[in-house]
Amino acid sequence: MLVNMKEILNDAKLDKYAIGSFNVYNYETIKGVLESIQERNFPAIISFGEKYLENMHFESVCSLVNSLSKDIEVPVVLHLDHCNNPENVYKAIKAGFTSVMYDGSSLPYEENVSNTAKVVEIAHACNVSVEAELGSLGAGVDSHEGNLEDKEIYTDPLMAKDFVQRTKVDALAVSIGTVHGMYKGTPNIRVDILKEIKEKVDIPFVLHGGSGTPEDVLVDCIENGICKINVNTEISVHTIEKMKELLSNGQKYHLSEISLLQVKFIKEVVDKYMKLFCKTS
Ligand SMILES: [Zn+2]
């Protein structure tokens, strides 16, 4: 059942748990995430970023997710991750995405507000939820989303209040010290900033850069208003490590077996995070 993100994030906010948002870009990632959702009988978000358009078109992602999720009874969201180009936002909505992230965080503030507000107006008319971002995440190791020169800028709580009031977004991605990719050193997550934002803004918050974040920190973030947690890099790093191990032991594999093994390894990471996010409920 494909739904928009608003309802499941509001439920998560009320009961203080988080919904996992897992990045996909091929059959194996989509299958791995959906198998985990089905097994745990717990909702999750299938995230497809604009930067993976070289791997798949919006329409292909949508058809695959629809056909592979038809027997799943819990809500599944098909979400467009990090999209800087409003044209692509509209293409994704047209293809059947139920949720979008318009990321104008690198633009001057007023431009981010007006672009986001416009996207929200159109998306809401199509019953599609919108996530936006304020602040900027730093780049970690193996990041495939951020750029090396990305600088960490924490989300300003007062600006967040103004932004949410003016744009009417459904969820806000905050920057509190997580990074895109794996951490270079010990993570320093500013839950104090998150608490300050929460005092001023009453909508679900999103944590990007979930990969490698210590579990107790994630639980603390969920307690303080984070309702959606994005995981991308760890799925890729784990699966490639496991494939390297398998292929280096001399055994021969058929490509079809490799596909099945990839689904299994992808699911291992998704399971780990799904378990953690449900546990706090
Ligand atoms: Zn992100």
Side-chain angles (χ1 to χ4, degrees), residues 81-82 101 133 137 145 180 208-209 230:
D81 194 23
H82 287 286
M101 176 188 191
E133 177 168 320
L137 263 66
E145 285 182 32
H180 278 132
H208 284 239
N230 289 20

Side-chain angles (χ1 to χ4, degrees), residues 200-254:
K200 297 182 168 56
V201 183
D202 189 29
I203 64 167
F205 300 132
V206 180
L207 192 70
H208 284 239
S211 296
T213 307
E215 293 192 2
D216 57 326
V217 176
L218 288 178
V219 171
D220 203 10
C221 288
I222 294 168
E223 282 291 314
N224 287 288
I226 294 291
C227 305
K228 169 179 179 266
I229 300 178
N230 289 20
V231 179
N232 183 0
T233 312
E234 195 172 327
I235 296 174
S236 165
V237 169
H238 174 78
T239 305
I240 288 174
E241 279 303 314
K242 286 284 188 177
M243 292 311 301
K244 262 196 227 161
E245 270 173 41
L246 274 180
L247 296 173
S248 63
N249 71 8
Q251 207 183 319
K252 289 222 164 33
Y253 291 96
H254 187 264

Side-chain angles (χ1 to χ4, degrees), residues 28-267:
E28 285 76 11
T29 42
I30 293 174
K31 182 93 172 117
V33 179
L34 286 171
E35 278 190 6
S36 184
I37 294 174
Q38 186 151 32
E39 198 177 294
R40 316 206 75 80
N41 207 31
F42 196 77
I45 298 161
I46 310 267
S47 252
F48 177 80
E50 181 185 37
K51 76 170 300 170
Y52 300 116
L53 277 170
E54 252 185 83
N55 298 78
M56 285 177 106
H57 291 135
F58 291 133
E59 286 77 12
S60 317
V61 180
C62 209
S63 317
L64 257 185
V65 171
N66 268 307
S67 71
L68 293 174
S69 68
K70 67 178 187 315
D71 295 328
I72 295 180
E73 281 167 14
V74 290
V76 175
V77 176
L78 177 55
H79 177 73
L80 173 64
D81 194 23
H82 287 286
C83 187
N84 304 317
N85 179 354
E87 282 310 308
N88 278 334
V89 171
Y90 306 136
K91 278 184 191 162
I93 293 175
K94 199 167 166 228
F97 278 58
T98 56
S99 185
V100 293
M101 176 188 191
Y102 170 68
D103 181 1
S105 60
S106 61
L107 297 172
Y109 179 68
E110 285 301 327
E111 207 177 331
N112 187 8
V113 170
S114 62
N115 286 8
T116 306
K118 176 96 179 127
V119 166
V120 169
E121 202 187 322
I122 294 169
H124 281 181
C126 306
N127 193 29
V128 167
S129 49
V130 181
E131 171 186 341
E133 177 168 320
L134 262 193
S136 168
L137 263 66
V141 183
D142 290 334
S143 170
H144 200 243
E145 285 182 32
N147 298 310
L148 272 179
E149 63 274 15
D150 284 351
K151 288 273 167 291
E152 182 168 274
I153 303 165
Y154 294 120
T155 304
D156 179 302
L158 273 177
M159 217 183 235
K161 186 181 176 188
D162 180 70
F163 184 83
V164 169
Q165 272 174 355
R166 289 169 65 193
T167 58
K168 303 192 171 47
V169 287
D170 303 292
L172 182 70
V174 293
S175 173
I176 55 169
T178 53
V179 298
H180 278 132
M182 305 304 279
Y183 293 93
K184 286 170 186 156
T186 314
N188 175 25
I189 314 300
R190 297 283 306 271
V191 179
D192 58 316
I193 295 180
L194 178 62
K195 285 180 180 169
E196 249 188 87
I197 303 170
K198 195 177 165 228
E199 277 169 21
K200 297 182 168 56
V201 183
D202 189 29
I203 64 167
F205 300 132
V206 180
L207 192 70
H208 284 239
S211 296
T213 307
E215 293 192 2
D216 57 326
V217 176
L218 288 178
V219 171
D220 203 10
C221 288
I222 294 168
E223 282 291 314
N224 287 288
I226 294 291
C227 305
K228 169 179 179 266
I229 300 178
N230 289 20
V231 179
N232 183 0
T233 312
E234 195 172 327
I235 296 174
S236 165
V237 169
H238 174 78
T239 305
I240 288 174
E241 279 303 314
K242 286 284 188 177
M243 292 311 301
K244 262 196 227 161
E245 270 173 41
L246 274 180
L247 296 173
S248 63
N249 71 8
Q251 207 183 319
K252 289 222 164 33
Y253 291 96
H254 187 264
L255 195 53
S256 62
E257 294 168 319
I258 296 283
S259 168
L260 292 174
L261 286 164
Q262 284 183 11
V263 172
K264 177 176 169 274
F265 298 141
I266 289 156
K267 183 171 170 286

Side-chain angles (χ1 to χ4, degrees), residues 2-49:
L2 284 193
V3 299
N4 86 18
M5 199 164 72
K6 198 176 170 172
E7 211 169 299
I8 63 167
L9 287 196
N10 282 337
D11 285 349
K13 180 170 170 277
L14 277 177
D15 289 339
K16 290 195 174 170
Y17 58 87
I19 303 290
S21 176
F22 305 99
N23 278 86
V24 301
Y25 22 78
N26 57 10
Y27 172 82
E28 285 76 11
T29 42
I30 293 174
K31 182 93 172 117
V33 179
L34 286 171
E35 278 190 6
S36 184
I37 294 174
Q38 186 151 32
E39 198 177 294
R40 316 206 75 80
N41 207 31
F42 196 77
I45 298 161
I46 310 267
S47 252
F48 177 80

